[in-house]
Amino acid sequence: MDGQAHAARTMWNCLHDWWTMLPKDKRSLAAADAAIRQARREIDWLGVLPAQAGQAVLKTYFGAWKNCWDRRADEPNFKARLRTVMSVDIPQGRDLQIKRVHRRWGMVNIPKVGRVRFRWTKVLPVGKLANRENRITGARLVKDGLGWHIAFRVLTLESKPEPHTGPEIGIDAGVNLPLSLSDGNHQDHGRPARLPDGTADRDKWLNPDEKAKLLRLEQRAAHRKSFRKPKERSSNRLNRTYDQIKQLRAKATRRAVDWQHKTTTGIAQQYGTVVVEQLNITNMVKSAKGTIEEPGTNVAQKSGLNRSISQEAWGRTVTMLTYKTGRYGGTLHRVPAPGTSLRCSACGFLTPGSREGQATFVCKNPDCGWSGNADWNAARNILHLYRIGLVAIPAAGRAVVRRTRGVKPAAAR
């Protein structure tokens, strides 16, 4: 499977070079298919990849360009060996020959590999449960630090859910408090975001024993790396140490994703309308290092904040909420983010100095004086923006209508 994954990545890179070097009038799906077939015949180690998996690489690459042309994604680029997730696609379900042999285990056929045992974690439409409207159409093999995993593609009919009649909720994503809800039902993963000395805990999903083991492995890797000469390949011992570090990192990621799945499922089942901020996370995690002529300030603090934001994976949480609210009949809406954490949710005034800290908000308006958690205040503002139609934003004691040119007001919509 490792050989097939490396062959699939190399085929993507060769296809990318072939596609970008050709004139635009000679680029076509048929020409790319002919080039792949010729490459598999002439290059032995590309023949390790099954023909169907090679066609899946071509289909994925062409789909990436289509997403770029539709302005949904950037241009496809080169896949580096160390930064690319190893994966192999099995596009035809009939090649799998899935059979359940135990309550917890099943057997699947991998082309050019043979019969492989996998962990049976959910009901699959195989045997008598499979029919024309409910069947497995393919699978995908993905490797991480814990080994190879298989994900099955299932074609099934799902009834359209009834409209969710649950309440509306505004959600603010944070670092100290992962998900703050406007009704006060905050979602916390029970792990402190910071160490006793106040610095961000980048390994909060690991227990103390695992943290100590990770520290020993990192020190061992640094020691062994010090003996490596420039441009010299890593030793097998150093690579084994790196693999052990990857296993601990993958375990922490799996725990974080598990918490996100359970939390977002509970929110989608309880609330009918979910409102979140429209965040540009890429710009939020940019470095503050600056340049030599204009060096940045508080670079170390900004780096710690960037790591904490990346660790919380806000974008993945919103993606889960998007499809889960639709699955349960609810809806998800996004509102503009500027000002939600600085404006008082009780009086609507944006008074300087009201945000006293990361978790404290005290309104400086003499006629208000409301105080509470800063993230909760932002969640209430997010829900309020949705209720007023995303256009009327209280400022200086009056309602100001702000909308993009050419966009109709909420009442007309």
Side-chain angles (χ1 to χ4, degrees):
M1 286 191 283
D2 287 348
Q4 291 189 18
H6 286 303
R9 179 187 58 83
T10 307
M11 183 171 290
W12 171 286
N13 293 334
C14 293
L15 183 62
H16 180 64
D17 291 339
W18 177 87
W19 184 276
T20 53
M21 287 189 298
L22 278 182
K24 292 185 178 180
D25 57 343
K26 293 185 179 180
R27 300 175 185 173
S28 66
L29 195 61
D33 178 60
I36 284 180
R37 293 175 184 272
Q38 182 181 359
R40 291 187 71 255
R41 289 193 302 266
E42 297 179 354
I43 304 176
D44 295 336
W45 48 269
L46 277 182
V48 175
L49 189 67
Q52 294 83 3
Q55 296 296 322
V57 173
L58 173 59
K59 183 178 179 181
T60 305
Y61 182 78
F62 192 76
W65 272 113
K66 193 174 185 304
N67 291 334
C68 175
W69 296 332
D70 295 339
R71 297 183 179 180
R72 293 193 298 266
D74 295 333
E75 293 184 3
N77 50 20
F78 181 85
K79 288 191 175 184
R81 182 185 181 92
L82 299 179
R83 297 193 303 269
T84 304
V85 177
M86 297 178 64
S87 61
V88 181
D89 206 315
I90 306 175
Q92 296 182 353
R94 66 173 181 267
D95 296 337
L96 298 173
Q97 301 177 13
I98 303 172
K99 183 179 180 181
R100 190 167 189 173
V101 297
H102 188 262
R103 180 172 62 90
R104 294 185 177 180
W105 297 98
M107 297 293 291
V108 62
N109 185 63
I110 306 299
K112 293 195 175 186
V113 175
R115 301 293 287 175
V116 179
R117 187 178 69 166
F118 69 94
R119 184 69 179 265
W120 199 286
T121 56
K122 64 186 305 182
V123 179
L124 295 175
V126 297
K128 296 181 179 180
L129 299 179
N131 51 52
R132 188 176 183 84
E133 297 178 350
N134 189 25
R135 66 185 189 276
I136 294 178
T137 60
R140 187 172 184 83
L141 298 166
V142 182
K143 186 179 183 181
D144 63 2
L146 298 176
W148 281 96
H149 310 276
I150 186 168
F152 296 103
R153 287 190 293 270
V154 180
L155 176 66
T156 183
L157 291 177
E158 292 187 358
S159 58
K160 186 177 181 180
E162 297 292 333
H164 201 303
T165 58
E168 301 172 345
I169 192 68
I171 300 179
D172 177 71
V175 175
N176 291 333
L177 192 58
L179 295 179
S180 303
L181 276 61
S182 58
D183 61 353
N185 185 23
H186 307 313
Q187 302 295 321
D188 190 4
H189 40 57
R191 299 171 184 268
R194 299 187 179 277
L195 296 172
D197 58 358
T199 59
D201 187 3
R202 57 177 301 191
D203 303 316
K204 60 185 175 184
W205 291 102
L206 299 177
N207 58 41
D209 293 338
E210 292 169 340
K211 289 182 180 180
K213 181 180 179 181
L214 179 62
L215 179 60
R216 291 196 303 269
L217 291 173
E218 290 178 341
Q219 291 174 346
R220 185 184 305 169
H223 176 70
R224 290 176 176 173
K225 187 178 179 181
S226 63
F227 295 99
R228 189 179 64 181
K229 298 179 181 179
K231 298 183 180 181
E232 184 181 8
R233 295 186 63 180
S234 301
S235 64
N236 292 333
R237 289 183 177 182
L238 180 57
N239 288 332
R240 282 197 297 270
T241 306
Y242 284 154
D243 291 339
Q244 291 175 320
I245 294 175
K246 288 180 182 178
Q247 291 177 2
L248 289 175
R249 297 292 187 194
K251 185 179 293 186
T253 302
R254 180 175 291 186
R255 291 172 182 172
V257 174
D258 179 71
W259 178 86
Q260 285 180 311
H261 272 295
K262 293 178 179 178
T263 304
T264 53
T265 299
I267 293 175
Q269 291 175 344
Q270 183 177 358
Y271 301 100
T273 302
V274 179
V275 189
V276 297
E277 290 179 303
Q278 181 68 45
L279 297 175
N280 192 338
I281 303 176
T282 303
N283 291 338
M284 294 175 64
V285 297
K286 283 186 177 180
S287 174
K289 188 179 299 183
T291 60
I292 298 178
E293 295 78 9
E294 297 180 1
T297 58
N298 297 328
V299 178
Q301 294 86 339
K302 184 63 168 63
S303 299
L305 178 62
N306 292 345
R307 285 194 297 268
S308 300
I309 293 175
S310 301
Q311 189 179 29
E312 291 297 334
W314 297 339
R316 187 167 58 203
T317 301
V318 174
T319 301
M320 293 180 182
L321 283 173
T322 302
Y323 73 82
K324 289 182 180 182
T325 51
R327 178 183 298 172
Y328 292 101
T331 56
L332 183 135
H333 302 273
R334 293 178 174 86
V335 298
T340 54
S341 60
L342 302 178
R343 182 176 292 105
C344 178
S345 59
C347 65
F349 277 79
L350 201 156
T351 309
S354 296
R355 182 77 181 260
E356 294 185 350
Q358 182 69 28
T360 306
F361 186 93
V362 179
C363 183
K364 302 303 180 181
N365 182 10
D367 299 331
C368 178
W370 182 88
S371 63
N373 183 273
D375 296 331
W376 181 36
N377 175 73
R380 295 175 59 180
N381 285 327
I382 291 170
L383 180 60
H384 178 67
L385 286 178
Y386 166 74
R387 287 176 173 174
I388 63 177
L390 317 183
V391 290
I393 301 178
R398 58 187 178 88
V400 180
V401 178
R402 298 177 181 175
R403 58 177 180 267
T404 307
R405 185 178 302 175
V407 177
K408 296 181 180 179
R413 290 200 301 268

